[in-house]
Every structure is written in structure tokens, then in C-alpha cells.
Amino acid sequence: MADQNTVRDEIIDELLGNTKSAEDLFGQEGLLKNLTKRLMERLLEAEMTNHLGYMKHAAEGKNTGNSRNGKTKKTVKTGNGNVEILVPRDRESEFSPVLIGKRQSRLAGLDDNILSLYAKGMTVRDIQAHLLEIYGTEISADLISTITDAVLEDVKAWRCRPLDDIYPITFIDGFVAKCRLDGRVENRTVYVVFGINMDGEKDVLGLYLGAAEGAKFWLSVLTEIKNRGVKDIFILCADGLKGLPEAVEATFPQTTFQTCVVHMVRHSLNYVPYTEKKAVAADLKKIYHSDTVELAEQALDDFEITWGEKYGAIVKSWRQNWEKIIPFLSFPKDIRTVIYTTNIIESLNKTLRKSVKNRGQFSTEDGLMKVLYLAIKGISKKWTFPVRDWKQALNQFSILFADRFPSKFLS
């Protein structure tokens, strides 16, 4: 191992040579760009050798019917700026390099960089300026648009992809994006359907641009999800979205609908001045942290005795929504902490909001979905582990939903 490290250091020393500054290393004529050029040309020569079947100047190449035929200059856009390379040719014009195709002028890595910047909310002009400033690579706005538009086919395939049979817990939440549709700028809500599958893995099931909430809209969303393969949802968690409970009843009649308790608390505290928010929030917490439904009802009665005269609207709201608030209290505490709040999806939505914030407005739904899809791809790379304590929750689901629980997941 020591000898290998010594060899590596010697190679590095030789490569660095007389470089004395960052400009010598990373500049427009620096070592990194020259090294990129040399490596690309070496790879292209190796590809030509593989294509012809013999090394350059080798005797076995005589009278084979094809041979090397000089080189052509080509400028390639890379993550290190524009690099001019020499591409080998063959006499029969049959050589088609894999590294950089005949009509290709940029490396795939550059496309990845552009898509990553686009997913982070940068506009086409922002990306253009960034690449020029950092890498010295001049790329037209049309080319950037072409690269990002190529994602649309992936977006369409992703939005229509088959889904799992069962998602034990599913969340629905939304956020607002500015869209210029039908000739005017307006706020439109993007609804995110987010599921946790039987393996405890997170998955965005779909994105939907809502014109208006209502049972008809939600029926179309849930029917599409069902048509894509979802046969059952144990628990569906959402904030008070108009018409959603009725649509859930129509499409997944066995699903338990759970109102987001955190949203209920936030809505309630809107009625309370700052000086009393802490005390009111503490008494509301006694309700949803109760061990049983009966104790929760008692805590609500106590809340009414203490605050009912002053904040009757809060008591009225909780009593009207009671049947949608309390379902989570029927579950063990390990499951409650996952289902009584939509915080898990709000964290995702925070990232998605950030991706669209700098865009100003979107002229088409495709443009909006393109940005969100790329953002989701970036986020999902971090979803490498199941949700916390999932095995224990799954065992409890197997008892609570015994008649619907697939046997292959039984431990």
C-alpha cells in the first residue's frame, strides 16, 4: 500500500509541474482543462482501436479494408469549459465514438450540471451566466432550454408509472405556485401525494395542479392513483381539503382518513393573541397527546371550561372536526407520531417551494412539472433508509389490518 501511495504522489508531482496558482490549475489554459483534453483524446484513440480491431501502425491492420484516416478538430463543452480536441477518423466513415457522438458537442456531465442547477430553481439566464462565470463555457439559452425540455418525456413517464399495491400511510398536502395560464398570472395550488410503502420507503406518488378543490377533483386524483396500481391505503393524512374525505370514501372505502392535527392547532392559534398562545397551545396539546379517545374527550371538555367563553370558535372547530381528528388515537404511539401530522410531507414541500420561488411564474404546466420533477429526483437520493421504527409499526399494522395485510410481509 505504501508503494502505491508513493507512485500516486510522484504522478501528481509530475502533473503539477510548475503550477503555482489556482489559475495555473483551474484557469482557461490550466492543467485541468489540458488534462481533460488529453484524456478525451486517449479514450477516443482507444475507441478507434476497438472499432478497427488493431493497434495503430500494427502489421495486422494491413489490407483489412478499413484504417485510420487522420483527425478532425472539435470543440466540446465540458464542466471545465470549452475544450478543443482531435477526433480520429476511419476511411470508411463507420467510426461512431461513444464518449462524444458525431453530432454531439457536449459531455453528458454538462447536461447533468445544467439539470441540477435548473432543479434548484435557477432560471435559464441564471444558468447561462453561472456556467460562463465559473467554467468559461458559453451556452445559448436555446440549448439550455433544449436540455431541460428533454426531461419532459421522463416527467410524463414518471407521472404515469405503475405504483405499489399498498401504501400503509399516504399524505396529501399542497403549496402555491404562480402560473400564467389563460393569459393571466394567478396562484395555483400544486398538490403532492406522498406515500410510505410496505418497506417503509418514501415515494412521491403524484403531482397535481388544482384549479379548484372539491370532491370531483379529488375523485379524479384518487381514481388515477388507483388505476396506476394502488389497491389499498391503510391511513390517509391530510389537512382540511374540501371534498377529499368524500372522495376517499368513494375510491378507498376501507381507508382511515386522518386530519392533520398540527394544522388544526395552527388554525386554532390564529384566534389567540400572542400573550396567550403558549397557554392555549399547551392545553390543546393535552387533547392530542391523550392516551385514549375518552381521555382526549375529557381534555377537550376541560379546554372548553378554561377557554370556551373567550375562544368559542376554537372549541366549535374541534368539535365539528372531532371524528376526523381522533382516528390516530386508536393506534399505538409508534404509529401516532407518524400519522397525526403532515410534517413529513411539509418538509418535502418546503424544498419544492424553494425550487419554484426564483422562477417567478410558469407559462405552462409542463414547465412547472419539469422543475418539480427534477427537484424530487434530487431529494429522493437522500431517501436511503426506511422511516424510523418502521419494522415495529409494520408489525402493528399486521394486527390492526390483519384481513388486508399481505402475508409476504409478515415477520
Side-chain angles (χ1 to χ4, degrees):
M1 184 65 69
D3 289 340
Q4 290 179 353
N5 287 333
T6 302
V7 171
R8 290 195 187 106
D9 289 341
E10 289 174 351
I11 293 172
I12 291 171
D13 289 341
E14 187 176 349
L15 283 171
L16 289 175
N18 296 321
T19 56
K20 298 177 181 178
S21 66
E23 181 65 24
D24 291 338
L25 189 59
F26 302 108
Q28 297 302 309
E29 302 299 328
L31 172 65
L32 210 55
K33 184 173 285 190
N34 285 322
L35 188 58
T36 300
K37 168 183 168 66
R38 294 290 300 277
L39 287 173
M40 289 178 67
E41 289 178 345
R42 287 286 296 273
L43 286 169
L44 288 169
E45 285 291 351
E47 283 196 53
M48 176 61 82
T49 296
N50 183 65
H51 169 67
L52 294 175
Y54 61 88
M55 297 291 291
K56 192 174 184 179
H57 306 306
E60 59 264 31
K62 293 181 179 180
N63 303 317
T64 58
N66 198 5
S67 61
R68 289 170 172 79
N69 187 33
K71 298 177 181 179
T72 303
K73 286 184 179 180
K74 184 171 189 173
T75 300
V76 180
K77 293 178 173 65
T78 75
N80 294 320
N82 292 339
V83 176
E84 188 174 89
I85 61 172
L86 295 175
V87 181
R89 298 183 311 224
D90 64 332
R91 292 193 179 278
E92 300 297 326
S93 299
E94 295 174 346
F95 179 51
S96 182
V98 174
L99 177 66
I100 185 79
K102 283 186 175 181
R103 284 171 288 279
Q104 187 180 340
S105 61
R106 60 187 188 276
L107 292 179
L110 184 63
D111 288 20
D112 293 341
N113 286 339
I114 289 172
L115 293 176
S116 176
L117 295 171
Y118 196 78
K120 289 177 172 62
M122 292 182 70
T123 65
V124 169
R125 293 191 182 280
D126 289 338
I127 295 171
Q128 200 176 11
H130 177 80
L131 293 175
L132 180 60
E133 179 182 351
I134 302 300
Y135 302 116
T137 302
E138 293 187 39
I139 297 182
S140 70
D142 287 343
L143 177 56
I144 294 172
S145 295
T146 298
I147 293 170
T148 57
D149 283 346
V151 176
L152 284 175
E153 288 302 315
D154 293 338
V155 175
K156 291 174 183 176
W158 177 79
R159 295 182 77 184
C160 297
R161 76 194 189 283
L163 300 172
D164 290 355
D165 292 350
I166 299 176
Y167 289 88
I169 305 176
T170 299
F171 303 87
I172 298 180
D173 198 17
F175 63 92
V176 173
K178 287 189 178 294
C179 300
R180 179 179 287 276
L181 303 173
D182 301 323
R184 61 181 183 181
V185 177
E186 57 185 37
N187 289 332
R188 296 287 289 274
T189 303
V190 180
Y191 293 103
V192 183
V193 182
F194 177 90
I196 300 175
N197 66 19
M198 292 295 291
D199 293 316
E201 298 166 342
K202 303 171 187 176
D203 189 13
V204 177
L205 311 188
L207 297 171
Y208 302 89
L209 190 62
E213 288 180 28
K216 186 176 180 181
F217 169 75
W218 290 117
L219 184 63
S220 68
V221 170
L222 295 175
T223 299
E224 184 202 288
I225 288 173
K226 196 168 187 176
N227 289 340
R228 288 166 58 199
V230 180
K231 296 177 181 177
D232 198 4
I233 296 170
F234 294 163
I235 306 161
L236 190 144
C237 312
D239 186 27
L241 300 171
K242 186 178 179 181
L244 179 56
E246 294 81 358
V248 172
E249 177 66 26
T251 49
F252 297 98
Q254 292 183 292
T255 295
T256 299
F257 184 87
Q258 172 68 52
T259 290
C260 174
V261 177
V262 170
H263 277 85
M264 282 294 301
V265 173
R266 288 177 187 164
H267 176 71
S268 299
L269 293 178
N270 287 336
Y271 295 95
V272 182
Y274 177 78
T275 54
E276 292 185 330
K277 279 186 187 293
K278 189 173 182 179
V280 171
D283 284 347
L284 287 173
K285 187 175 181 179
K286 293 175 183 177
I287 302 173
Y288 61 87
H289 273 210
S290 298
D291 290 333
T292 65
V293 174
E294 291 75 18
L295 290 174
E297 290 172 345
Q298 182 59 56
L300 180 57
D301 290 341
D302 293 343
F303 182 90
E304 184 171 9
I305 292 170
T306 305
W307 302 104
E309 185 175 345
K310 204 169 188 179
Y311 303 118
I314 297 177
V315 177
K316 182 180 178 181
S317 176
W318 280 71
R319 292 205 182 280
Q320 285 180 338
N321 291 283
W322 191 245
E323 293 304 316
K324 296 184 182 71
I325 293 171
I326 61 172
F328 80 98
L329 292 173
S330 302
F331 298 100
K333 289 187 177 180
D334 294 324
I335 301 177
R336 290 186 193 184
T337 55
V338 179
I339 67 176
Y340 84 79
T341 171
T342 56
N343 282 355
I344 193 169
I345 192 173
E346 285 183 348
S347 176
L348 167 65
N349 284 352
K350 182 179 179 181
T351 303
L352 297 182
R353 285 191 195 97
K354 187 177 179 181
S355 73
V356 301
K357 183 178 179 181
N358 296 333
R359 310 287 306 176
Q361 61 196 38
F362 294 86
S363 57
T364 65
E365 182 175 346
D366 279 347
L368 174 61
M369 292 300 167
K370 184 169 61 173
V371 171
L372 295 177
Y373 166 74
L374 290 171
I376 289 169
K377 278 191 68 179
I379 297 166
S380 61
K381 291 177 182 177
K382 301 176 183 178
W383 295 341
T384 54
F385 297 101
V387 298
R388 188 176 178 181
D389 298 323
W390 184 249
K391 284 292 184 183
Q392 189 171 353
L394 203 62
N395 286 331
Q396 292 167 348
F397 282 138
S398 70
I399 298 170
L400 295 167
F401 304 101
D403 58 330
R404 296 153 58 190
F405 196 91
S407 58
K408 67 179 180 179
F409 287 98
L410 291 172
S411 56

